[in-house]
Amino acid sequence: MPVEPPTAEPQHPAPLTGFLRPDGRKGIRNVVAVAYLVECAHFVAQEVVQSFRGEPVHLVGFPGCFPNAYADKVMRRLLTHPNVGAVLLVSLGCESFDKRGLEAEVAASGRPVHTLTIQERGGTRKTLAEGIEWVRWALAGLEDQPRVPMRWDELVVATVCGGSDGTSGITANPAVGRAFDTLIGQGAACIFEETGELVGCEFHMQRRAATPELGEAIVQAVAKAARYYETLGHGSFAPGNADGGLTTQEEKSLGAYAKSGDSPIAGLIKPGDIPPAGGLYLLDVVPDGEVRFGFPNISDNAEIVELIACGAHLTLFTTGRGSVVGSALAPVIKVCANPDTYARLAEDMDVDAGRILHGAAGLDEVGAEIVALVQSVAQGRETASESLGHREFILGYKAFEPIGPSCLPIRRGV
Amino acid sequence: MNPASSATDPRLLLLNPADNCLVACRALPAGEAVLIDGRSVTLPRPVGMAHKLARHALAVGDKVLRYGAVIGSVQRPIAIGEQIHTDNLASDYLPTYTLQDDARYAR
């Protein structure tokens, strides 16, 4: 799907605003990211972040001491994400993470970056003090950065579902699908994911692929996911899904699939691949090769982190049973599918899509409400999870092969 | 959402004309009378909100259709109006895991 030429009609104000980065991308938040590079540095990094409660200082990190190309790529993408304005790396000192490579990549992106190595700095207390001082300096530098006009085709929106039940696939998910269609029509890139939750939908998706070769790649990606989960002995299906009225993996899949809307599928990407243009993309989250490192995504936030690593500025999270999570680095908009859940957890929710079940609204109306909310959140409005202080983050081990030539039939942007 | 045909209860959703299941918009107790394709049916079992019930009688091996797509195979005969769930429907791909079915997690 070609990008509209950048003719921001001068008679209309820009639909969005963002923070301009040296690479030309724009962020909708201006965050100082504090990253631990092994679990052994997690506490010190966390203590730095906790000194800035209520300020845009977010904790991310990777717990493993063993090197992993996937985690390396995801960390590089996260710390050069357009929502990130400055980066503090906290290292123990003896871990294998390539901190110098990461630091160099962040520096090359034009962001302030600083690395503190606990073993060299003299322990917990000294590192903490230096970390706090640096973050205070970095925050001051970001404080006066103005927002500049931003177009829809500069926005990347992701969707996930979590705590799905029988309402998800008939209210929130198709409403997000309508929102995706509108956003894509405006030029945005939209990403849906979890090939393991699309088992049973592969031939439907194949028919929507931009080219036959891409369609074949999608079918293969879902077959890979089905094999992977079969080896592990579990589908992507939790007991709460069944309590909520879902009976089988393919039923859950069909409901999840409704989030993708009706647009053609422009590409199949893997974690850390940034969509080259507007359109609809499927994120393949299931590792390649033999089954290693356990379940592909042990919880919803692992998927959100991968979507952010693909450049997503914000995530539309549909939930039936009622998830309360947010995320570090990028806002999460909670679309509640189930009217009973909304009544219980209203403070944690942004959109009441369950009213569709009682005939109080239609899919188009809720879809339009979601688009309007995306626009105001992109302008700085806090989501429910942001205002409650949610900043979940999780990153584990995986192994991927690079995507093949058929996966992005559209030309890559510069 | 398209409402079910006028001859079907407004508390039940027909998501696709090809479907052989209906989705309950609210919890319905056993003994409740509902209208399915112009026919009054007394629910043999309670049906939870967003759970499915059979649009017509289903036999072992029948495929259940939702959104016009197959969501699994019938394991036991299902009467019209009866809830369709893990006790009478199974995935054609992967087994469904529930807490109740697994003694390791039972209390």
Side-chain angles (χ1 to χ4, degrees):
Chain A
M1 182 167 285
V3 192
E4 292 294 319
T7 50
E9 300 137 88
Q11 68 270 34
H12 296 299
L16 308 169
T17 59
F19 300 99
L20 180 62
R21 307 300 177 196
D23 66 1
R25 290 193 290 167
K26 290 166 189 165
I28 62 167
R29 294 290 182 274
N30 211 6
V31 167
V32 177
V34 177
Y36 58 91
L37 303 183
V38 62
E39 182 60 21
C40 320
H42 185 160
F43 176 79
V44 172
Q46 179 181 296
E47 287 288 290
V48 171
V49 170
Q50 285 187 352
S51 305
F52 296 92
R53 203 170 168 82
E55 295 188 69
V57 181
H58 293 191
L59 182 68
V60 302
F62 179 64
C65 193
F66 299 92
N68 182 252
Y70 154 85
D72 190 76
K73 179 176 180 179
V74 168
M75 287 285 277
R76 286 168 185 246
R77 292 292 182 275
L78 292 174
L79 297 178
T80 55
H81 186 280
N83 287 356
V84 172
V87 175
L88 176 67
L89 303 178
V90 184
S91 157
L92 176 63
C94 44
E95 74 273 12
S96 344
F97 204 98
D98 175 19
K99 64 183 172 193
R100 293 300 163 209
L102 178 60
E103 185 189 55
E105 183 152 341
V106 176
S109 79
R111 289 168 175 80
V113 57
H114 188 57
T115 303
L116 290 175
T117 301
I118 297 169
Q119 289 164 352
E120 291 167 7
R121 296 282 156 171
T124 299
R125 205 178 297 277
K126 287 178 181 164
T127 310
L128 183 54
E130 284 190 46
I132 290 169
E133 189 187 334
W134 191 86
V135 169
R136 192 173 290 133
W137 172 83
L139 271 177
L142 297 181
E143 209 171 61
D144 297 326
Q145 185 176 357
R147 281 183 176 261
V148 300
M150 179 172 172
R151 301 183 311 267
W152 284 113
D153 65 17
E154 297 176 296
L155 188 72
V156 183
V157 179
T159 188
V160 293
C161 42
S164 296
D165 68 14
T167 65
S168 302
I170 54 184
T171 63
N173 291 351
V176 164
R178 302 288 167 98
F180 259 30
D181 289 339
T182 301
L183 292 164
I184 289 164
Q186 302 280 1
C190 290
I191 311 172
F192 70 115
E193 52 84 63
E194 187 44 310
T195 38
E197 287 175 358
L198 293 167
V199 167
C201 307
E202 55 272 33
F203 298 107
H204 303 266
M205 289 193 286
Q206 183 181 32
R207 287 196 290 273
R208 289 172 61 192
T211 64
E213 295 75 22
L214 174 61
E216 186 51 39
I218 290 171
V219 169
Q220 284 171 14
V222 175
K224 176 184 74 171
R227 273 198 312 276
Y228 212 91
Y229 279 111
E230 201 173 0
T231 305
L232 292 165
H234 280 291
S236 173
F237 197 101
N241 298 142
D243 296 342
L246 296 174
T247 306
T248 62
Q249 178 67 62
E250 52 270 43
E251 181 183 16
K252 180 180 173 182
S253 296
L254 286 161
Y257 179 52
K259 299 197 301 302
S260 68
D262 285 323
S263 304
I265 300 175
L268 175 67
I269 56 176
K270 292 183 180 177
D273 296 334
I274 294 169
L280 179 65
Y281 296 82
L282 171 62
L283 173 61
D284 177 6
V285 302
V286 175
D288 294 310
E290 63 189 84
V291 175
R292 277 172 289 186
F293 309 130
F295 288 95
N297 281 321
I298 59 173
S299 59
D300 297 325
N301 277 100
E303 299 170 24
I304 294 174
V305 165
E306 290 180 337
L307 289 160
I308 298 170
C310 294
H313 291 88
L314 57 84
T315 300
L316 303 174
F317 188 126
T318 66
T319 184
R321 304 294 284 173
S323 171
V324 301
V325 305
S327 177
L329 306 188
V332 172
I333 293 175
K334 213 68 67 47
V335 183
C336 187
N338 184 319
D340 294 350
T341 302
Y342 187 83
R344 280 196 306 276
L345 280 75
E347 196 189 0
D348 286 280
M349 301 298 157
D350 295 286
V351 178
D352 174 19
R355 65 188 202 275
I356 291 169
L357 264 192
H358 296 156
L363 283 172
D364 288 335
E365 184 183 340
V366 176
E369 182 186 332
I370 294 168
V371 172
L373 193 56
V374 165
Q375 188 169 17
S376 60
V377 167
Q379 310 271 32
R381 172 177 165 172
E382 279 195 327
T383 66
S385 54
E386 282 185 300
S387 69
L388 288 162
H390 281 279
R391 288 172 187 177
E392 287 83 351
F393 183 89
I394 184 166
L395 176 60
Y397 283 91
K398 281 193 184 182
F400 281 99
E401 302 295 331
I403 55 170
S406 61
C407 292
L408 284 177
I410 45 178
R411 79 192 145 73
R412 229 173 229 289
V414 183
Chain B
M1 204 44 34
N2 295 325
S5 74
S6 57
T8 290
D9 207 291
R11 294 168 297 177
L12 303 175
L13 277 178
L14 178 65
L15 294 168
N16 184 293
D19 289 358
N20 51 17
C21 70
L22 298 158
V23 178
C25 295
R26 61 194 65 187
L28 300 168
E32 185 81 5
V34 298
L35 197 61
I36 298 177
D37 297 323
R39 178 175 162 191
S40 180
V41 175
T42 302
L43 296 184
R45 293 198 291 162
V47 179
M49 182 178 70
H51 285 243
K52 302 170 289 300
L53 53 81
R55 190 179 174 195
H56 52 73
L58 297 169
V60 172
D62 284 355
K63 301 293 184 189
V64 171
L65 288 143
R66 177 179 176 166
Y67 306 106
V70 175
I71 61 166
S73 299
V74 172
Q75 305 298 303
R76 292 182 201 166
I78 305 175
I80 182 170
E82 189 177 352
Q83 177 162 298
I84 301 173
H85 206 20
T86 48
D87 56 336
N88 53 26
L89 179 70
S91 171
D92 293 332
Y93 286 80
L94 293 154
T96 297
Y97 170 77
T98 65
L99 292 184
Q100 293 87 339
D101 293 344
D102 193 314
R104 285 175 301 166
Y105 289 87
R107 290 183 198 284

PDB file of all heavy atoms in Angstrom, chain A residues 100-112:
ATOM      1  N   ARG A 100      28.362  -1.763  24.694  1.00  0.00           N
ATOM      2  CA  ARG A 100      29.033  -0.725  23.905  1.00  0.00           C
ATOM      3  C   ARG A 100      28.366  -0.571  22.542  1.00  0.00           C
ATOM      4  O   ARG A 100      28.191   0.532  22.043  1.00  0.00           O
ATOM      5  CB  ARG A 100      30.531  -1.043  23.733  1.00  0.00           C
ATOM      6  CG  ARG A 100      31.307  -0.966  25.045  1.00  0.00           C
ATOM      7  CD  ARG A 100      31.237   0.421  25.701  1.00  0.00           C
ATOM      8  NE  ARG A 100      31.640   0.371  27.116  1.00  0.00           N
ATOM      9  CZ  ARG A 100      31.207   1.192  28.061  1.00  0.00           C
ATOM     10  NH1 ARG A 100      30.316   2.141  27.771  1.00  0.00           N
ATOM     11  NH2 ARG A 100      31.607   1.073  29.291  1.00  0.00           N
ATOM     12  N   GLY A 101      27.979  -1.699  21.943  1.00  0.00           N
ATOM     13  CA  GLY A 101      27.260  -1.646  20.658  1.00  0.00           C
ATOM     14  C   GLY A 101      25.925  -0.940  20.811  1.00  0.00           C
ATOM     15  O   GLY A 101      25.539  -0.115  19.978  1.00  0.00           O
ATOM     16  N   LEU A 102      25.233  -1.247  21.905  1.00  0.00           N
ATOM     17  CA  LEU A 102      23.925  -0.621  22.167  1.00  0.00           C
ATOM     18  C   LEU A 102      24.109   0.876  22.406  1.00  0.00           C
ATOM     19  O   LEU A 102      23.398   1.712  21.839  1.00  0.00           O
ATOM     20  CB  LEU A 102      23.282  -1.287  23.385  1.00  0.00           C
ATOM     21  CG  LEU A 102      21.930  -0.747  23.841  1.00  0.00           C
ATOM     22  CD1 LEU A 102      20.885  -0.871  22.747  1.00  0.00           C
ATOM     23  CD2 LEU A 102      21.464  -1.497  25.106  1.00  0.00           C
ATOM     24  N   GLU A 103      25.104   1.212  23.222  1.00  0.00           N
ATOM     25  CA  GLU A 103      25.361   2.623  23.526  1.00  0.00           C
ATOM     26  C   GLU A 103      25.702   3.389  22.248  1.00  0.00           C
ATOM     27  O   GLU A 103      25.201   4.499  22.018  1.00  0.00           O
ATOM     28  CB  GLU A 103      26.526   2.723  24.519  1.00  0.00           C
ATOM     29  CG  GLU A 103      26.803   4.125  24.999  1.00  0.00           C
ATOM     30  CD  GLU A 103      28.100   4.203  25.808  1.00  0.00           C
ATOM     31  OE1 GLU A 103      29.160   3.793  25.291  1.00  0.00           O
ATOM     32  OE2 GLU A 103      28.039   4.671  26.957  1.00  0.00           O
ATOM     33  N   ALA A 104      26.513   2.774  21.395  1.00  0.00           N
ATOM     34  CA  ALA A 104      26.915   3.437  20.147  1.00  0.00           C
ATOM     35  C   ALA A 104      25.701   3.650  19.241  1.00  0.00           C
ATOM     36  O   ALA A 104      25.568   4.700  18.598  1.00  0.00           O
ATOM     37  CB  ALA A 104      27.979   2.594  19.431  1.00  0.00           C
ATOM     38  N   GLU A 105      24.805   2.664  19.190  1.00  0.00           N
ATOM     39  CA  GLU A 105      23.631   2.813  18.321  1.00  0.00           C
ATOM     40  C   GLU A 105      22.706   3.920  18.826  1.00  0.00           C
ATOM     41  O   GLU A 105      22.171   4.706  18.037  1.00  0.00           O
ATOM     42  CB  GLU A 105      22.869   1.482  18.208  1.00  0.00           C
ATOM     43  CG  GLU A 105      21.687   1.593  17.264  1.00  0.00           C
ATOM     44  CD  GLU A 105      21.318   0.286  16.582  1.00  0.00           C
ATOM     45  OE1 GLU A 105      22.164  -0.640  16.535  1.00  0.00           O
ATOM     46  OE2 GLU A 105      20.179   0.201  16.099  1.00  0.00           O
ATOM     47  N   VAL A 106      22.526   3.994  20.144  1.00  0.00           N
ATOM     48  CA  VAL A 106      21.675   5.059  20.706  1.00  0.00           C
ATOM     49  C   VAL A 106      22.333   6.415  20.463  1.00  0.00           C
ATOM     50  O   VAL A 106      21.666   7.381  20.054  1.00  0.00           O
ATOM     51  CB  VAL A 106      21.415   4.826  22.212  1.00  0.00           C
ATOM     52  CG1 VAL A 106      20.610   5.986  22.789  1.00  0.00           C
ATOM     53  CG2 VAL A 106      20.678   3.506  22.441  1.00  0.00           C
ATOM     54  N   ALA A 107      23.649   6.498  20.663  1.00  0.00           N
ATOM     55  CA  ALA A 107      24.358   7.767  20.437  1.00  0.00           C
ATOM     56  C   ALA A 107      24.245   8.185  18.974  1.00  0.00           C
ATOM     57  O   ALA A 107      23.996   9.347  18.657  1.00  0.00           O
ATOM     58  CB  ALA A 107      25.820   7.630  20.844  1.00  0.00           C
ATOM     59  N   ALA A 108      24.385   7.205  18.065  1.00  0.00           N
ATOM     60  CA  ALA A 108      24.297   7.508  16.633  1.00  0.00           C
ATOM     61  C   ALA A 108      22.903   7.999  16.248  1.00  0.00           C
ATOM     62  O   ALA A 108      22.735   8.700  15.251  1.00  0.00           O
ATOM     63  CB  ALA A 108      24.662   6.268  15.815  1.00  0.00           C
ATOM     64  N   SER A 109      21.896   7.637  17.055  1.00  0.00           N
ATOM     65  CA  SER A 109      20.531   8.088  16.766  1.00  0.00           C
ATOM     66  C   SER A 109      20.308   9.526  17.231  1.00  0.00           C
ATOM     67  O   SER A 109      19.209  10.062  17.071  1.00  0.00           O
ATOM     68  CB  SER A 109      19.518   7.158  17.438  1.00  0.00           C
ATOM     69  OG  SER A 109      19.391   7.471  18.825  1.00  0.00           O
ATOM     70  N   GLY A 110      21.344  10.127  17.834  1.00  0.00           N
ATOM     71  CA  GLY A 110      21.242  11.522  18.241  1.00  0.00           C
ATOM     72  C   GLY A 110      20.683  11.730  19.629  1.00  0.00           C
ATOM     73  O   GLY A 110      20.420  12.861  20.027  1.00  0.00           O
ATOM     74  N   ARG A 111      20.502  10.644  20.381  1.00  0.00           N
ATOM     75  CA  ARG A 111      19.947  10.769  21.731  1.00  0.00           C
ATOM     76  C   ARG A 111      21.065  10.842  22.773  1.00  0.00           C
ATOM     77  O   ARG A 111      22.080  10.144  22.630  1.00  0.00           O
ATOM     78  CB  ARG A 111      19.065   9.562  22.054  1.00  0.00           C
ATOM     79  CG  ARG A 111      17.761   9.534  21.308  1.00  0.00           C
ATOM     80  CD  ARG A 111      17.081   8.176  21.461  1.00  0.00           C
ATOM     81  NE  ARG A 111      15.757   8.201  20.839  1.00  0.00           N
ATOM     82  CZ  ARG A 111      15.533   8.066  19.544  1.00  0.00           C
ATOM     83  NH1 ARG A 111      16.543   7.897  18.709  1.00  0.00           N
ATOM     84  NH2 ARG A 111      14.297   8.105  19.068  1.00  0.00           N
ATOM     85  N   PRO A 112      20.858  11.601  23.843  1.00  0.00           N
ATOM     86  CA  PRO A 112      21.792  11.522  24.964  1.00  0.00           C
ATOM     87  C   PRO A 112      21.776  10.096  25.539  1.00  0.00           C
ATOM     88  O   PRO A 112      20.689   9.516  25.713  1.00  0.00           O
ATOM     89  CB  PRO A 112      21.211  12.505  25.987  1.00  0.00           C
ATOM     90  CG  PRO A 112      20.238  13.353  25.233  1.00  0.00           C
ATOM     91  CD  PRO A 112      19.758  12.535  24.080  1.00  0.00           C
TER      92      PRO A 112
END
